[in-house]
Amino acid sequence: MTPTPRTEGNSGRRGFNWAEGIWSQLGNYEVLGSRPWSDLAHLEIFPGTPLSAHTWIMPGSYLPAGASQRESFRSLTPRTREHSEINELHPQDESLCRALLALSLPRRTLTGIRTIGPSTWLARARQSIKLGRCIVEHFPDREEGLWSHLDRDEWSAIIGMTASAEYRRQTLSLIIDLAAYGERGLLSDFPNIRRAPHQHRRPTQTSEPSRRGERKKEATQKKPKSQTEPFSDEFVTAVLGRAIWLQDNLAAQVIDCWAELREHAAVAARSGRTTSNPRTIEERRFIIASFPWKDADGRPLTELPWEVKVGRKREITAVWPPRDATSINVMVGIIQALNFCTLSFCDGARSSENLDVDDNSVSPEDPERPNARTFKYEPLPGGTYRDWPLHPRAIKALEIQQKIAKVIRPEEGTHLWMLLVDGAEPAGSPLRNATEPIVEAIKKLGLTALSGPKRPHAHRWRHTIARLIALCVAAAPQVLMDLFGHRDLEITLHYILSNPSIAEEVQRIAEEIAYALAEEAIVDVEAGRAGGQAAEPLRSGLNGLKMRRGQEELGAETMAEAIAILTFNGRLWASVREGVLCTKGLGQFGPCTRGSGAPDPGNCDTGCDHRLELARAKADCLRALRGLLRDRDQASTAGADLQVAYFDGQILAQLKRWPDVRNQIMAESPVARAIWDGRRSSHDL
């Protein structure tokens, strides 16, 4: 029977898969391998692209914004001979086309039937074509098929020649999948990696031994992965500091001047003068010099707070305004790159997701939550939309980017990020690669050294966010999963631990925080301001320590000793929430875990013997009680008895925290007194 495909995106919804059009034409998948090629050749793998076509071009709408939109990225030539004629289809080419078709079909996994996304299919299709061409090159005498004639040793040799050590696992996975499709009947020619080797069968060397695998290995060793290294604090501060200053002082003026210069160039061109004409150059210089440059406070702007490399001679200067139009063009490029950096720092999105942000993404009614398409875990053509909460600085960056777009973008366009000069595509076309403009802007701002030995790749902002959140937030993995749109915690942990130094830094900061919180807690306990079940035992212990030291108050040395003992040198005393500490030690029992395991902050109980509350938590307790009483009153008025019972439990838990807060609330609210007295009468305190 033909399996029913199931398509799952980030939202878990069903939808039209990119390859579903051809699925519906295939009939029973289990006999696909035995069907003649004449029945399949006319079927369209993509709209307008039959399987027999010499070149397959995937529609751009199937792929995320960025480099994958280029036609060269979306094009495949499914031929085993690289320079084959357009109408030539060798039997081995047929086997290759059938394999690519099979890779687009739903597959059975341990968790059900799953589909493959367009980007992943393209990557596996390229690897399949590479495998096929390598087989034909090294086994030119084999005409019985493309895949099935190779034995175990020959497959090992082919994998070594087509994939570096880093990618051999993916290549082996591809071969195993093709074998599985063959066993299901989808292919008649498929790999058999279990076939015993034949001594007389060895790859035929048509020329000198191939070093492709070795060269790839060397390239991998020489070119470290730059996109996984988070930016340093110094780099982030310098880049965003310049971005903020430009947003507040210069960006709008530079864009207005740039627009005027472009308009003047168009007028000069209509009169037959180019931008290199001496008269045009002087007129453009006059426009720049006469422009009313002012800072945010309305003062004349004659100098930048930092140097920048501008002009045709690439002069490093802080003087403003510049002398030539080239410098204005350079500054517009810097502004666009810093806008992208600001957005990436604030939303932590992938480059393709930020490149997809356009005029339609930002709603005037809700500018703080723009939406864009994500493709990473979405097999549907066109991806799926999600939104990101934005800081006002990122919103301002998008507003500035819209002004840039209006100057150079074609009238029918809606994209925000664009090519600013003519290149492979004309100026005003969508930007395909965000990294190169960022690298160039960082170089012109003189900040390349701060980015470290690796390039300031756009994806490094995502790892920077992971590092900062991991250092600052106790529940960092869950926060990052939500922000990054991950399904699997393992992927999120990869970002947090992408650099070994992050784990060390997290541990160091956690110990410092534990030390600082312990010192604050001890001071509150000594002064009688702390709350929670752990406050009184801790007060007794501190009094005993002072008696042994003959001190009325803890000195600096005794305080340090007490903190080290109580927190086990900073490894204990976790922060449960603002102003609340867990003092549970190694091997101690607690209600949050029903045993002696590590504390579970999400299940903290106000009656736990290890709970210690700092003085600053008292105000939060008072606000929480008043809010709960209001919510209970509304639920009672609405007759929602279950909600009332729920609020009663929450109010009672808060009343246990601070005696003086409890007395104040009970004096204000008869309901609170009734809840407390009712609890006491049940002897369940």
Side-chain angles (χ1 to χ4, degrees), residues 63-195:
L63 298 166
S68 59
Q69 289 288 322
R70 294 173 179 159
E71 187 171 303
S72 59
F73 181 89
R74 300 182 279 113
S75 300
L76 298 173
T77 303
R79 296 293 185 269
T80 55
R81 291 149 182 82
E82 191 168 357
H83 302 293
S84 62
E85 296 296 330
I86 291 181
N87 295 322
E88 178 186 1
L89 187 69
H90 192 277
Q92 291 175 321
D93 296 341
E94 177 189 325
S95 290
L96 178 59
C97 290
R98 285 177 178 268
L100 300 189
L101 171 62
L103 288 173
S104 73
L105 301 175
R107 58 185 180 136
R108 293 170 180 159
T109 69
L110 295 175
T111 57
I113 296 175
R114 293 290 180 266
T115 58
I116 190 172
S119 297
T120 305
W121 180 86
L122 274 176
R124 305 195 92 194
R126 291 192 193 96
Q127 187 62 32
S128 300
I129 294 171
K130 186 183 296 184
L131 283 171
R133 289 177 178 175
C134 185
I135 291 170
V136 169
E137 177 185 354
H138 292 284
F139 297 94
D141 58 328
R142 312 285 178 81
E143 297 292 337
E144 62 267 36
L146 181 60
W147 314 106
S148 57
H149 61 81
L150 298 179
D151 61 36
R152 184 171 63 240
D153 287 355
E154 290 165 342
W155 270 118
S156 179
I158 291 294
I159 292 173
M161 287 184 281
T162 57
S164 63
E166 183 180 0
Y167 294 104
R168 284 180 187 175
R169 184 176 179 181
Q170 290 94 317
T171 304
L172 182 59
S173 173
L174 168 65
I175 295 170
I176 291 172
D177 283 348
L178 290 176
Y181 285 127
E183 292 172 357
R184 286 175 51 196
L186 277 67
L187 298 173
S188 57
D189 177 26
F190 57 91
N192 184 359
I193 59 177
R194 293 188 292 270
R195 172 176 288 170

Side-chain angles (χ1 to χ4, degrees), residues 4 6 21 45 52 64 162 177 191 234 239 250 286 335 366 435 459-460 551 554 557 604 612 628 641 648 651 661:
T4 302
R6 182 173 70 183
I45 184 72
S52 59
T162 57
D177 283 348
E234 294 79 8
V239 170
L250 197 58
F286 176 78
I335 291 170
D366 192 9
T435 293
H459 194 67
R460 290 177 65 183
Q551 299 174 339
L554 290 176
E557 184 177 342
C604 186
L612 180 64
L628 287 168
D641 295 338
D648 285 351
I651 292 168
V661 171

Side-chain angles (χ1 to χ4, degrees), residues 203-243:
T204 301
Q205 298 291 352
T206 56
S207 58
E208 63 176 296
S210 172
R211 294 186 64 248
R212 273 182 285 183
E214 296 176 24
R215 286 196 295 268
K216 286 188 178 181
K217 185 175 181 180
E218 292 170 4
T220 302
Q221 292 173 343
K222 293 178 182 178
K223 187 178 180 182
K225 287 187 175 182
S226 60
Q227 63 266 31
T228 61
E229 180 78 23
F231 291 122
S232 66
D233 294 339
E234 294 79 8
F235 179 85
V236 173
T237 301
V239 170
L240 295 184
R242 285 158 174 73

